[in-house]
Amino acid sequence: MSASVLYDVPGPKARRRNRVYGVLSTLALLGLIAFVIYRLDDTGQFQAGLWDDYQYANTQDRILEGLLTTLKTFALAAVLSLALGAVLAAGRLSDHRWVRWPTAVLVEFFRAMPLLIMIFLLYYAYFDTQPMWALVIGLTLYNGSVQSEIFRAGINAVPKGQSEAAYALGLRKTQVMTSVLIPQAVRSMLPSIISQLVVTLKDTSLGFIILYEELLYVGKAFAERTPPENGVYAFIPMVIVFGSIYILLCLALSSLATWIERSTKRSRKGAPAAVPVGAATAMADPSHSADGGSRDGDARGGGPKAD
């Protein structure tokens, strides 16, 4: 029986006790699920008539409009948050304190500010007639500050020898950042960037709070429509239909990230091998031969002379 530093392998009594705990936990979880299903059925949430609205073309058109509105909002917020994140990350990495410190304050402020409060403030203060921009700017400020920390952490994770070698070649800081650090950091940052974009996509659902007609607002409107024959709000069909749409959108975004990551790995494998220093010197200076000797030296010294 082996043991690790942080964990001792359980003995026979402990294994039996763990099995009992596992069985009891499973039964408790199944009992909770059964109780929830019973309560939903008791309130009429599983009636077939609640699905009638989703059979009409008008309902399907409304769902499609809400989906397109959500995708439009997400596209704007994603592009703007990435751009803002790049600017803030550059400020956090600046050598000047008068740039680095105010940028750090902005990043920490927008990261700590609850997104819902930010959207409310923007809506009631500036964009009460344009709820889309209140939502887009709120998402941009919050997710841009988070993306900036992802960018900064990814760039700082690149070994310092890379930047030191680039500076030794005479490159400027901007050239070092754009040509050396960022291309290497993107590969490690990509999973975190996509994860934050998934969060941005899901946070577009907060638009229903300010009466913005995105996907969740449309679903809430359908759920609150009371059929006259049973008087039950159709929340379960709404959760199933619109929850499935959100899940499919997030899975599509994650699949795109996986494809991009695999493509970058293939491009790295297919990249040409680095030229050795000696070979590069020989190619740059034709006066050196392949075996390291000097043609001029051969001509002056012990090389064969022409008759």
Side-chain angles (χ1 to χ4, degrees), residues 170-182:
L171 298 180
R172 299 178 181 177
K173 183 175 181 179
T174 304
Q175 295 174 320
V176 172
M177 189 70 66
T178 57
S179 302
V180 178
L181 299 181
I182 292 179

Side-chain angles (χ1 to χ4, degrees), residues 205-253:
S205 59
L206 295 175
F208 88 96
I209 299 291
I210 56 175
L211 305 180
Y212 180 52
E213 296 186 3
E214 42 78 44
L215 190 60
L216 185 59
Y217 180 87
V218 175
K220 184 173 178 290
F222 285 128
E224 292 178 347
R225 185 182 301 174
T226 306
E229 65 273 7
N230 50 30
V232 176
Y233 291 113
F235 282 108
I236 291 300
M238 185 272 288
V239 170
I240 294 175
V241 172
F242 291 88
S244 300
I245 294 175
Y246 277 108
I247 291 173
L248 290 176
L249 290 176
C250 294
L251 288 177
L253 191 57

Side-chain angles (χ1 to χ4, degrees), residues 1 7-23:
M1 301 238 304
Y7 177 73
D8 293 332
V9 176
K13 292 183 179 180
R15 286 198 296 268
R16 288 195 297 267
R17 186 168 58 249
N18 292 338
R19 292 193 190 100
V20 172
Y21 291 158
V23 171

